[in-house]
Amino acid sequence: GGPRICLGNHFALLEALVLSAVLARRFHARLAIGHRPQIDLMGTLGIRNGLPMLIERRPLQNPQIEQQPRSQT
């Protein structure tokens, strides 16, 4: 970083964190059957050939909360 930085940088990071929390609450991710992750060390830690995941919707903990209409204020 120099004297010029993105003014929205912190907001973008916060937005990504909130979105991740919402998705983690609603969905469960698990590694695809039969896939073995391989670590790739090329300056930074990575995963060779990607990481195939199965995404499943989590059951609602309290269905009444999710089904209430939002107020239009």
Side-chain angles (χ1 to χ4, degrees), residues 6-28:
C6 177
L7 296 175
N9 187 31
H10 293 290
F11 177 74
L13 291 174
L14 177 64
E15 191 176 33
L17 181 64
V18 169
L19 179 62
S20 298
V22 168
L23 290 175
R25 185 174 180 191
R26 294 183 181 178
F27 298 94
H28 174 73

Side-chain angles (χ1 to χ4, degrees), residues 3-71:
R4 297 183 182 104
I5 59 170
C6 177
L7 296 175
N9 187 31
H10 293 290
F11 177 74
L13 291 174
L14 177 64
E15 191 176 33
L17 181 64
V18 169
L19 179 62
S20 298
V22 168
L23 290 175
R25 185 174 180 191
R26 294 183 181 178
F27 298 94
H28 174 73
R30 61 185 170 95
L31 189 61
I33 298 170
H35 182 76
R36 292 191 60 199
Q38 297 176 352
I39 303 299
D40 191 13
L41 298 172
M42 296 291 291
T44 60
L45 188 61
I47 299 175
R48 189 176 302 135
N49 300 324
L51 193 62
M53 304 293 288
L54 298 175
I55 308 297
E56 299 171 340
R57 187 167 184 80
R58 290 182 188 266
L60 295 175
Q61 296 296 324
N62 189 350
Q64 293 177 350
I65 293 173
E66 295 285 335
Q67 295 175 359
Q68 290 179 354
R70 296 184 182 180
S71 62

